[in-house]
Amino acid sequence: MSDNIQKVTVLSKTTWTPNLFSFTVSRPDSFKFTAGQFVRLGVNPSQLQYYKQQSEVSENVNDETINAALNEDVFRAYSIVSSPFDEVLEFFSIVIPDGAFTSQLQHLQVGDELLLNTMPFGFLTLARYQKPLPKDLWLLATGTGLAPFLSMLQDLKTWEDYEHIVLAYSARSTDELAYVEKIERLQEDFGSLVDNPATLIFIPIVTRESIEGALTERLPKLLLDGTLQERAGIELDTDSTHVMLCGNPDMVEDTKETLKSLGLVMNRRGEGNIAVENYW
């Protein structure tokens, strides 16, 4: 096993919908990361309690071909939900029915062991913004793309550096809007710990249901017609706006192009408004 690979233990699991769940694992003492970064997590299905229990009651699981397929370490990239200062690591996952990783990960139980590559990756971090200086931060997420933004919003420096933070979080249904209670506590739980904190503006978006208080259109349309800006009470300004995108690749691409059409520019070498992460 590589020096960068360490075993971690599953401490808790939260099921949001049949296809969405979160889980926490133990954190190696030496592991450090920056809010917004991702890591590679590994699972060996044959070591999960679920399959050990199945093998006790089903002759099929003892088939050599099936066992060979299950007895492999499979790694995937996962953004970290938790704060860089938390004692545990939290992750937010979607179940892809035929996915080699998530179709196994859905069977996680407390006490299971996963593999963590302790080398963090990614540049979807607030440190990338050198110009314009921080004033208004827009975090635009769909689905599990919420994860890196939750990490940022549990870092006190985020609250210190900005005046306004807009979190627009889009899902297909109300059930898929995970972490809403946590989001609604962020201002009090973290903003209250710093002098002159940013004001958090949370904008839920549900595209396949009509829900009171939630917008219903896709992010590009909401930006183009100004609905999102109106709800936030803030305009997009090339001289004061930082925008981060994370989630469905089609959303990221379409929203990026929409923002560019509105005059914002990609962040390169520390300058510019728009930052995205492409690890899907």
Side-chain angles (χ1 to χ4, degrees), residues 24 69 72 268:
T24 62
E72 291 184 10
R268 292 187 174 89

Side-chain angles (χ1 to χ4, degrees), residues 89-276:
L89 299 175
E90 183 167 358
F91 300 95
F92 185 21
S93 181
I94 187 170
V95 177
I96 301 171
D98 298 323
F101 189 83
T102 64
S103 62
Q104 306 302 338
L105 211 63
Q106 67 178 318
H107 300 306
L108 277 186
Q109 298 178 27
V110 172
D112 278 331
E113 285 191 339
L114 297 177
L115 302 172
L116 171 71
N117 184 327
T118 56
M119 178 71 70
F121 299 91
F123 299 97
L124 193 73
T125 64
L126 295 177
R128 70 182 294 157
Y129 286 109
Q130 305 302 316
K131 186 179 179 181
L133 294 174
K135 183 185 176 189
D136 300 329
L137 175 62
W138 293 69
L139 304 173
L140 310 183
T142 56
T144 57
L146 178 70
F149 300 151
L150 285 177
S151 183
M152 293 175 194
L153 290 169
Q154 295 175 90
D155 187 338
L156 297 185
K157 185 167 173 53
T158 307
W159 296 88
E160 293 172 338
D161 285 354
Y162 289 89
E163 293 181 22
H164 304 98
I165 302 171
V166 179
L167 174 61
Y169 174 28
S170 178
R172 295 174 300 181
S173 65
T174 311
D175 289 346
E176 292 183 355
L177 276 179
Y179 288 103
V180 169
E181 290 184 5
K182 185 182 188 74
I183 292 168
E184 292 175 340
R185 294 196 310 267
L186 287 169
Q187 184 85 47
E188 180 179 349
D189 289 351
F190 293 90
S192 65
L193 300 179
V194 304
D195 296 329
N196 302 312
T199 299
L200 176 64
I201 302 149
F202 174 45
I203 304 176
I205 303 166
V206 180
T207 58
R208 297 187 183 178
E209 295 177 4
S210 180
I211 304 297
E212 184 178 355
L215 300 179
T216 57
E217 301 288 349
R218 294 180 67 242
L219 279 163
K221 184 177 188 303
L222 293 172
L223 287 163
L224 269 180
D225 65 18
T227 301
L228 197 66
Q229 299 90 309
E230 182 180 352
R231 174 66 68 90
I234 302 169
E235 291 301 316
L236 295 168
D237 186 334
T238 55
D239 294 326
S240 62
T241 297
H242 297 169
V243 187
M244 290 186 151
L245 310 175
C246 193
N248 178 286
D250 290 336
M251 178 283 288
V252 170
E253 182 63 26
D254 293 347
T255 307
K256 178 181 71 175
E257 293 306 315
T258 299
L259 291 166
K260 288 163 66 176
S261 76
L262 295 173
L264 277 67
V265 298
M266 295 300 295
N267 183 283
R268 292 187 174 89
R269 298 184 178 89
E271 296 191 12
N273 311 102
I274 309 166
V276 305

